[in-house]
Amino acid sequence: MKSKIFFLAVSALIFTQCASQKKSENLKMPITKSEIVNSTYPTEKPENGTIRLVEKQNIFSEENKLNITFVKTIEDSRCPMNARCITAGFATVEIEVMSLHSRPRKFTISTQENKNSFVFGGKKITLTNIYPSNSTDVGFDDLKGKYVVDLKIE
């Protein structure tokens, strides 16, 4: 009897987790206090092999059999779009990935070219874009929770 209750509880937990995942196609872009910054969010669908995630969003890639979560943006030192900078700067994000047969693992990836990808379960996952562009009016603290990333899975 206890094993049946345990099985039902685990099944219910898995079902609610899967049901709460947002589909990448139905993704609604976050809104900031700046129309200029809002205009830098993508309006087109991502290309094939690329998934788009909003911060804290979790999605299961049926094609790759991977569960991917955009945990948080760690840093965004990119040059604001309405400023002049000596260097372009970079953004760093934390991604959690889990396959059907593995435990979750967290990876830190960046827009820096040599730190923009990782390999998990034989798949190379690359950070191709991070949105929105920041400005001198809307910085990192204002954008926390409103970042969107494109991840290419090969």
Side-chain angles (χ1 to χ4, degrees):
M1 180 67 175
K2 286 183 181 181
S3 62
K4 287 182 182 179
I5 293 172
F6 178 74
F7 177 73
L8 288 173
V10 170
S11 297
L13 181 65
I14 291 170
F15 177 74
T16 57
Q17 178 66 24
C18 291
S20 68
Q21 293 179 357
K22 296 178 184 174
K23 295 287 184 199
S24 186
E25 305 87 48
N26 304 334
L27 192 62
K28 186 174 180 183
M29 293 296 127
I31 297 173
T32 70
K33 65 182 181 182
S34 167
E35 284 303 315
I36 295 171
V37 172
N38 290 340
S39 71
T40 65
Y41 280 112
T43 55
E44 305 277 322
K45 286 185 175 182
E47 62 184 54
N48 285 340
T50 300
I51 60 167
R52 182 167 288 150
L53 295 165
V54 175
E55 221 165 336
K56 300 196 183 344
Q57 182 185 1
N58 175 297
I59 193 168
F60 181 74
S61 171
E62 190 70 43
E63 179 182 333
N64 299 293
K65 304 292 187 227
L66 293 175
N67 194 40
I68 303 169
T69 305
F70 175 14
V71 179
K72 65 183 176 181
T73 304
I74 297 169
E75 177 182 8
D76 186 0
S77 64
R78 297 175 295 164
C79 183
M81 64 179 145
N82 55 346
R84 290 181 146 189
C85 302
I86 295 172
T87 62
F90 60 92
T92 305
V93 298
E94 185 176 287
I95 304 294
E96 184 178 85
V97 185
M98 181 174 73
S99 72
L100 297 173
H101 307 289
S102 75
R103 291 181 167 220
R105 286 199 46 210
K106 289 186 179 179
F107 296 91
T108 302
I109 52 177
S110 172
T111 55
Q112 291 176 307
E113 195 164 318
N114 60 344
K115 298 179 182 179
N116 68 342
S117 65
F118 62 90
V119 176
F120 179 83
K123 302 282 185 179
K124 182 178 180 183
I125 300 172
T126 305
L127 175 66
T128 56
N129 288 307
I130 184 165
Y131 309 97
S133 296
N134 56 3
S135 74
T136 54
D137 300 331
V138 181
F140 179 65
D141 288 335
D142 297 323
L143 292 174
K144 283 184 181 176
K146 297 180 180 177
Y147 284 96
V148 176
V149 293
D150 284 347
L151 301 171
K152 185 170 184 79
I153 303 173
E154 304 175 282

